[in-house]
Amino acid sequence: MTIKLICVDADDTLWHNERHYNAARERFRNLLSGSGDVDASLEAVERANFETYGFGAKGFALSLVEAAALTAGTKLTGGLIVEILQIGKDLLMHPVELLDGVEDALDALAMRAPLVLVTKGELAHQESKLVRSGLAGRFSSVEIVSDKSADTFRQVFERHGVLPGQAVVVGDSVRSDVLPALEAGAYAGYIPHPLAWDFERRAEPVGESRYQRIESIGAVASWIDLIAQRS
Ligand SMILES: [Mg+2]
């Protein structure tokens, strides 16, 4: 099957992301040390808030304040809130650090089919990271979505005039990249990142013929060539 569209995830597929969230959680833990189980409180608040705030750093910052109020109670001062909000601001403005080999890998992919960036999160933040990454010119189009479902990918394929079986989706999340892509009928490549966010963990669909685990983004092009040779 000739591949006519390549959809690529952004956070922890093209550039580092989770390490910045881990650093933010560490700062939050240090600020509130001695105030109970800060990590458990933050995780519970975050999960409860996804539906309301969506995914992204601004929602995360609001969850930090809420978790702080729940754990620190009356010890939560105005000064502490300002420090917590600064953690969120730093998360929004950290430098974009590309993963190894990303530029060459995208150039190799772009020779095979149009590239579409498909990323979930907040529009302004994801746009800002893409501009700061210097990678924007390598993509034919950019889709910033609130979450990734099979329908999300079906709509992307339709907009680009390709059938699901002519599309490849690659990313570091089984939950957000692989499973919805397979459900939509596309090929799905999982590029594991060592710092996977617990929320995104799912079992790999081992044995599924359109699924492939790929050790680095640099190896995606040769997988696409193999798909083309299959039929
Ligand atoms: Mg990702």
Side-chain angles (χ1 to χ4, degrees):
M1 174 63 77
T2 305
I3 293 302
K4 295 187 173 170
L5 194 73
I6 303 171
C7 300
V8 183
D9 170 56
D11 289 340
D12 288 324
T13 297
L14 302 180
W15 52 68
H16 289 285
N17 178 65
E18 192 58 25
R19 64 157 67 157
H20 298 291
Y21 274 87
N22 285 347
R25 290 188 180 97
E26 173 88 32
R27 277 174 69 186
F28 182 66
R29 203 178 295 130
N30 291 338
L31 264 184
L32 291 185
S33 60
S35 299
D37 195 342
V38 178
D39 285 326
S41 173
L42 177 58
E43 194 185 333
V45 169
E46 263 194 282
R47 281 179 188 264
N49 283 342
F50 284 136
E51 206 179 315
T52 313
Y53 297 148
F55 297 93
K58 286 183 214 162
F60 178 75
L62 290 173
S63 290
L64 289 179
V65 174
E66 186 176 338
L70 291 171
T71 49
T74 54
K75 286 192 285 180
L76 184 63
T77 60
L80 205 48
I81 291 174
V82 169
E83 287 191 69
I84 292 167
L85 290 174
Q86 189 60 47
I87 297 175
K89 287 181 188 172
D90 292 345
L91 197 51
L92 285 163
M93 290 312 298
H94 64 72
V96 176
E97 305 149 302
L98 298 184
L99 271 67
D100 288 344
V102 159
E103 288 158 305
D104 289 346
L106 292 180
D107 288 342
L109 292 175
M111 290 168 63
R112 286 159 173 83
L115 295 184
V116 181
L117 185 78
V118 185
T119 178
K120 75 173 195 275
E122 289 152 6
L123 184 61
H125 189 207
Q126 297 306 86
E127 278 177 344
S128 151
K129 282 193 285 188
L130 178 59
V131 168
R132 287 183 283 136
S133 75
L135 298 175
R138 286 181 161 83
F139 290 93
S140 302
S141 78
V142 176
E143 308 266 353
I144 299 172
V145 297
S146 57
D147 202 358
K148 294 179 184 175
S149 66
D151 272 345
T152 309
F153 286 113
R154 281 189 201 105
Q155 287 161 16
V156 171
F157 305 153
E158 208 175 298
R159 268 199 292 280
H160 289 85
V162 304
L163 298 169
Q166 298 170 322
V168 156
V169 174
V170 292
D172 70 300
S173 168
V174 174
R175 173 193 174 272
S176 295
D177 302 309
V178 170
L179 296 180
L182 290 176
E183 191 185 335
Y187 289 85
Y190 171 47
I191 311 166
H193 185 277
L195 296 180
W197 180 26
D198 281 348
F199 185 81
E200 298 284 343
R201 286 185 207 276
R202 294 290 188 282
E204 287 177 61
V206 177
E208 161 63 57
S209 63
R210 285 177 285 109
Y211 170 70
Q212 182 67 47
R213 183 189 177 107
I214 304 165
E215 286 318 310
S216 76
I217 193 165
V220 174
S222 49
W223 173 52
I224 289 175
D225 293 343
L226 279 179
I227 296 171
Q229 290 163 17
R230 268 190 219 163
S231 47

